[in-house]
């Protein structure tokens, strides 16, 4: 699933390729997925492409912003030769470059604007929409804001890290990697942790996400960046998806919890002691 590092990689890749170029056409192919009735800013130039949490924001010079939510498996990639890929929701044609927005696991009709995967609106409206739904951005949140975001929350850390209103941009892969790096059990509750542990968690959050961005993210299934590269972070994963394999730090066997509901969590019992022992 795309998380902050993959969204950052996509935003940087697109920025490098379309900044300053005009949008020549936009075609929505899946009703209910993209906002079909909107008038895309054909003729406007791309001012910049940025990221907020797991969302890619294409800012145009007419003051509008196209927000693309990457959802479960969304990608923005160069249009391949031949027929459009299956699950193409949106085709964006810029001067000299064409991109498809595909999301194989996004099915059914979604109600815009809250859950549509794309949203086109004045830049301030998109910014407000993001502020109302997203906590501080996980890669650059400072320590006071990070502590504040967790201090008010009850419950275990893993689901809190996945909650975009607490800190924004982290999903299942990086939550596990961050907790492992910090040496904190996924079921530990922030209210029970000493400040030193929360500081470790804050540092680990920034370090893991920055390293993943440098590696162009993690390749899952057929993820590719807008420049056609693949993410390299997969081989750096410490615990995610490594059940039964040895922890690279302490040698213990990585374990998998079928928790939180509908998810799995990988952790090292050697590096991440049970909450009672902390
Ligand atoms: Zn370990």
């Amino acid at each position: 699933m795309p998380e902050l590092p993959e969204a950052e990689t996509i935003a940087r890749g697109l920025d490098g390729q379309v900044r300053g170029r005009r949008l020549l056409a936009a075609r929505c192919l899946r009703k209910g997925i993209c906002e079909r009735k909107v008038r895309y800013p054909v003729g406007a130039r791309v001012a910049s492409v940025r990221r907020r949490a797991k969302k890619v924001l294409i800012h145009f010079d007419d003051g509008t912003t196209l927000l693309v939510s990457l959802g479960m498996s969304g990608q923005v990639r160069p249009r391949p030769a031949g027929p459009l890929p299956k699950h193409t929701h949106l085709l964006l044609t810029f001067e000299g470059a064409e991109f498809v927005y595909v999301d194989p696991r996004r099915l059914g009709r979604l109600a815009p604007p809250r859950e549509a995967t794309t949203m086109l609106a004045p830049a301030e409206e998109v910014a407000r929409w993001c502020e109302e739904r997203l906590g501080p951005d996980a890669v650059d949140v400072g320590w006071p804001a990070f502590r504040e975001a967790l201090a008010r929350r009850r419950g275990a850390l893993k689901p809190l890290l996945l909650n975009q209103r607490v800190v924004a941009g982290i999903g299942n892969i990086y939550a596990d990697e961050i907790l492992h790096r910090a040496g904190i059990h996924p079921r530990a509750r922030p209210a029970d942790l000493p400040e030193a542990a929360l500081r470790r968690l804050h540092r680990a959050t920034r370090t893991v996400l920055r390293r993943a961005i440098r590696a162009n993210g993690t390749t899952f299934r057929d993820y590719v960046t807008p420049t056609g590269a693949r993410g390299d972070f997969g081989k750096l994963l410490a615990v995610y998806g490594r059940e039964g394999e040895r922890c690279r730090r302490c040698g213990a066997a990585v374990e998998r919890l079928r928790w939180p509901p509908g998810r799995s969590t990988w952790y090292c019992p050697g590096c991440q002691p049970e909450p009672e022992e902390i």
Side-chain angles (χ1 to χ4, degrees):
M1 178 186 318
E3 301 181 27
L4 186 155
E6 291 76 35
E8 177 74 23
T9 303
I10 289 172
R12 287 183 187 180
L14 272 181
D15 192 67
Q17 294 187 69
V18 301
R19 181 195 281 246
R21 299 194 183 193
R22 284 183 202 282
L23 179 69
L24 300 181
R27 220 171 102 207
C28 176
L29 295 105
R30 296 283 295 259
K31 195 177 174 191
I33 300 280
C34 330
E35 288 188 86
R36 196 172 227 180
K37 288 184 190 137
V38 302
R39 216 173 54 79
Y40 284 89
V42 169
R45 287 182 195 278
V46 175
S48 64
V49 185
R50 296 277 182 258
R51 174 198 61 76
R52 173 77 169 92
K54 307 179 197 176
K55 298 176 192 313
V56 173
L57 306 170
I58 304 176
H59 298 298
F60 291 95
D61 67 359
D62 69 345
T64 57
T65 294
L66 175 65
L67 174 149
V68 180
S69 289
L70 298 172
M72 292 298 285
S73 54
Q75 301 174 19
V76 181
R77 55 199 294 183
R79 179 185 184 170
L84 287 173
K86 266 174 89 172
H87 310 294
T88 295
H89 303 322
L90 185 63
L91 172 65
L92 293 170
T93 309
F94 298 93
E95 287 170 328
E98 215 168 15
F99 293 90
V100 289
Y101 165 54
V102 293
D103 192 349
R105 291 178 65 190
R106 180 73 71 164
L107 300 166
R109 194 183 161 80
L110 300 160
R114 181 151 194 261
E115 315 203 26
T117 54
T118 64
M119 169 185 180
L120 181 78
E124 316 78 64
E125 200 177 305
V126 173
R128 202 175 328 120
W129 188 93
C130 289
E131 289 324 302
E132 285 168 3
R133 287 161 184 81
L134 300 170
D137 205 73
V139 77
D140 47 32
V141 57
W143 162 243
F146 186 81
R147 179 174 53 185
E148 159 79 13
L150 287 171
R152 301 178 280 120
R153 303 284 179 160
R154 302 165 85 88
L157 267 177
K158 169 78 185 260
L160 286 174
L161 289 178
L162 297 178
N163 180 342
Q164 301 302 299
R165 289 173 190 263
V166 177
V167 277
I170 301 170
N172 216 34
I173 298 176
Y174 297 108
D176 287 359
E177 295 298 303
I178 288 165
L179 286 164
H180 177 263
R181 188 177 176 88
I184 299 174
H185 194 279
R187 287 195 201 269
R189 288 188 295 244
D192 300 336
L193 290 174
E195 181 158 307
L198 286 178
R199 276 194 184 268
R200 280 205 312 278
L201 184 69
H202 175 240
R203 277 198 302 273
T205 300
R206 293 162 54 118
T207 303
V208 166
L209 295 175
R210 284 175 184 174
R211 290 180 68 193
I213 290 169
R214 277 203 297 278
N216 289 327
T218 304
T219 287
F220 41 88
R221 297 184 203 92
D222 58 349
Y223 162 84
V224 289
T225 73
T227 57
R230 300 183 72 81
D232 262 345
F233 196 72
K235 48 182 181 273
L236 300 174
L237 293 173
V239 285
Y240 181 85
R242 298 189 65 235
E243 183 181 10
E245 293 177 47
R246 289 194 177 282
C247 169
R248 296 189 230 275
R249 188 188 291 164
C250 77
V254 171
E255 292 189 7
R256 175 182 185 179
L257 298 172
R258 286 183 164 70
W259 172 87
R263 305 265 199 163
S264 282
T265 294
W266 287 267
Y267 76 105
C268 168
C271 298
Q272 298 165 268
E274 292 288 329
E276 303 80 67
E277 297 168 37
I278 290 175

